[in-house]
Amino acid sequence: MSDYLFHNPQLALIAGTIISMMLFLLWDDINKRSGADQKIQTRWPGNLFLAALNTLLVAYALEPVLIPFSRMIEQFAFDTLSWAAPLSQTRYHWIYYFIPGVLVYEFIDYVLHRFAHRLPWLWRLHAVHHSDTRVDATTAHRHHPLEVIVNSFLGTPFLVLLGVPIMVAIWHPLIRMLLIAFNHSNTLLPDYLDKPLSYIVATPNFHRVHHFSERQYTNSNYGTIISIYDHLFGSARFLSKAELEIRELGLEYFREDKENKPLGLLASPLSTAFNSSDRVRTTNNN
């Protein structure tokens, strides 16, 4: 299995994206949560367009560029940093480094995510993800392509310098696909189950808080698949299932149907909605 993934990462990424979305959209439908508060057709064209565009971008454009980029950084590490020998070249099997490797990945993602809420130019890109006025598995892939490119080139050097094994880099995105579809699903867990899980995993309840339109909630619960760093750095917020059901999702802007269409999503970072001080949420990290 690992050998197949090593030689066919593009097909694995595409299949993982499609299967994970379908699985948790079906889960929402079984739980009667698929169309509760907004017509699906106003959101899905834009969300599915970005899902397809970003998946193909990563598989066929970024990967061929990032591989030689990673090798260049790795060579720099060997030449200048005595501690930077990749874990993949040690005597242990890569599976022993899977959990440490995932923790490294998710820590870098957590830091980049916080910067995306802090820096105005990054927020313009990241706001595409937050502007969805309803959350489901398609929202997990609703990211501006420029944000995908920026995060890839900001995060890759740290992963290479820390020597994360290549097989961790192959398996982690596939597992991540499943978990981000899960925590963006529209089906909430009961409080007795969610509370203990939320100390480790970013559950649908935990991550839903991050998608509320109120800034104090948007600027919390940054963990994408694990919540450990939110608890460690004080950015975790808990709300009961009853409170989660009644709060508004999305942003205070980009709520019109035309702004959720493919071209509207691609053009949204240029919107004048970001120019007024009362709408720039990066100036207030309550």
Side-chain angles (χ1 to χ4, degrees), residues 19-38:
I19 292 171
S20 60
M21 278 198 299
M22 290 180 64
L23 180 63
F24 283 99
L25 288 174
L26 178 61
W27 170 250
D28 283 344
D29 192 57
I30 291 173
N31 287 281
K32 309 301 182 185
R33 297 283 303 176
S34 61
D37 54 304
Q38 187 182 15

Side-chain angles (χ1 to χ4, degrees), residues 6-169:
F6 182 80
H7 291 97
N8 300 275
Q10 292 92 348
L11 293 178
L13 185 65
I14 293 169
T17 301
I18 295 171
I19 292 171
S20 60
M21 278 198 299
M22 290 180 64
L23 180 63
F24 283 99
L25 288 174
L26 178 61
W27 170 250
D28 283 344
D29 192 57
I30 291 173
N31 287 281
K32 309 301 182 185
R33 297 283 303 176
S34 61
D37 54 304
Q38 187 182 15
K39 292 181 179 179
I40 285 175
Q41 58 264 30
T42 64
R43 305 168 44 257
W44 276 15
N47 289 10
L48 295 177
F49 167 76
L50 288 181
L53 179 60
N54 290 332
T55 302
L56 294 175
L57 175 66
V58 172
Y60 294 104
L62 283 179
E63 187 174 280
V65 174
L66 286 172
I67 289 175
F69 179 61
S70 299
R71 287 174 180 164
M72 180 182 68
I73 296 169
E74 187 175 73
Q75 188 59 50
F76 166 79
F78 275 126
D79 292 341
T80 60
L81 303 172
S82 60
W83 53 265
L87 296 177
S88 56
Q89 297 191 18
T90 64
R91 62 189 177 91
Y92 297 107
H93 192 274
W94 68 267
I95 198 68
Y96 292 105
Y97 301 106
F98 184 76
I99 292 179
V102 168
L103 291 175
V104 169
Y105 263 95
E106 294 307 313
F107 176 71
I108 292 172
D109 180 75
Y110 176 84
V111 172
L112 291 176
H113 198 168
R114 294 202 68 158
F115 273 119
H117 283 248
R118 174 72 68 174
L119 301 178
W121 65 276
L122 274 178
W123 172 250
R124 283 175 175 264
L125 301 177
H126 188 56
V128 170
H129 181 64
H130 279 275
S131 62
D132 203 347
T133 54
R134 185 178 172 277
V135 174
D136 61 26
T138 67
T139 311
H141 302 282
R142 179 184 165 119
H143 291 278
H144 199 282
L146 288 178
E147 182 184 20
V148 174
I149 294 172
V150 168
N151 284 347
S152 296
F153 281 95
L154 287 178
T156 298
F158 295 101
L159 296 170
V160 175
L161 288 174
L162 290 170
V164 175
I166 185 64
M167 290 311 301
V168 176

